[in-house]
Amino acid sequence: MKTLTEVVDADTIARRVASLGAAITADYEGRDPVLLGILKGAVPFLADLSRSLPAEVEIDFLSLTRFGEEGRVSISVDSATSITGRHVIVVEDIVDTGLTLSYLHGLLETREPASLATATLIDKSTRRIVGVDLQYRGFEVGDEFLLGYGLDWNGRYRNLRSLWAVMDLAAFQDDPESLSRQVFAAETPIGS
Ligand code: IMP
């Protein structure tokens, strides 16, 4: 069995992100939204998505600390932007059980935004424990562990330009270095 396989290539990601950007642009016409990216995983997605939006869009980030099996979160680094009365679009890399996002929505609602929506690159809907509203979804996937385009394993691989699925987690954990060589070998170097 192959340990890793590319599941969404960089061109497909780019096309999908641009189409989400077009949908958001149309839906938010005249509403001046603020994008709130969840560090660190949302960084590549937010960077690309924001460049498909009108130039006036505001961008901010916050960082979460997760604790407990039930997915409780607190905000460890808060955004500098006041969201009271603003149209907020939370930008996430992946929604899995939904626990993180549902806690985050609860926290953000206390700040009384004019509206709160979520854009996620990946939706692992079959693993959902708590229902969450996702207005913009890039790709729906199964329950495989994914890496790349913001998604990490022990803080690594976020910088890959495509999405990879780990098919054999044990083999991957035994030898992550050789696998990173495999991934980079398969990617087209910048400028070529
Ligand atoms: P949730 O609270 O279960 O929805 O988990 C969301 C968080 O779990 C994401 O923001 C990721 O940090 C992490 N996560 C879930 N699935 C994956 C994956 O396939 N690869 C990398 N991180 C993942």
Side-chain angles (χ1 to χ4, degrees):
M1 179 169 67
K2 271 178 84 177
T3 309
L4 270 182
T5 190
E6 189 182 47
V7 285
V8 189
D9 66 35
D11 287 345
T12 307
I13 294 173
R15 281 195 301 274
R16 186 71 189 121
V17 172
S19 88
L20 292 178
I24 292 171
T25 301
D27 293 350
Y28 282 81
E29 199 184 343
R31 282 203 285 164
D32 191 22
V34 51
L35 299 183
L36 208 51
I38 310 306
L39 294 170
K40 302 169 186 161
V43 168
F45 177 40
L46 186 144
D48 289 341
L49 182 67
S50 67
R51 284 177 285 182
S52 294
L53 297 179
E56 295 76 26
V57 74
E58 260 185 88
I59 295 172
D60 210 337
F61 293 93
L62 57 79
S63 184
L64 302 175
T65 302
R66 298 185 181 82
F67 47 98
E69 284 295 297
E70 68 280 29
R72 279 176 298 144
V73 299
S74 66
I75 295 177
S76 51
V77 180
D78 210 341
S79 60
T81 309
S82 168
I83 62 164
T84 305
R86 299 294 307 275
H87 294 283
V88 175
I89 305 172
V90 172
V91 180
E92 262 282 27
D93 52 357
I94 186 165
V95 180
D96 185 10
T97 62
L99 288 164
T100 307
L101 192 61
S102 112
Y103 264 94
L104 178 65
H105 276 181
L107 287 170
L108 295 178
E109 290 287 8
T110 65
R111 299 176 176 186
E112 302 183 341
S115 67
L116 189 56
T118 299
T120 184
L121 179 73
I122 295 159
D123 182 9
K124 273 190 182 176
S125 58
T126 56
R127 289 184 34 92
R128 202 73 89 246
I129 293 175
V130 213
V132 279
D133 283 340
L134 299 176
Q135 286 72 20
Y136 306 98
R137 303 180 313 153
F139 302 98
E140 190 158 344
V141 300
D143 66 358
E144 60 272 20
F145 192 78
L146 300 177
L147 296 173
Y149 201 73
L151 295 166
D152 75 309
W153 180 78
N154 284 353
R156 294 176 179 214
Y157 308 105
R158 294 191 199 273
N159 54 327
L160 302 179
R161 282 177 281 154
S162 55
L163 281 164
W164 295 75
V166 181
M167 312 306 286
D168 183 343
L169 199 54
F172 177 71
Q173 284 167 339
D174 279 351
D175 193 5
E177 297 300 325
S178 69
L179 290 167
S180 87
R181 286 196 295 278
Q182 177 200 328
V183 169
F184 280 107
E187 292 208 328
T188 314
I190 289 170
S192 66

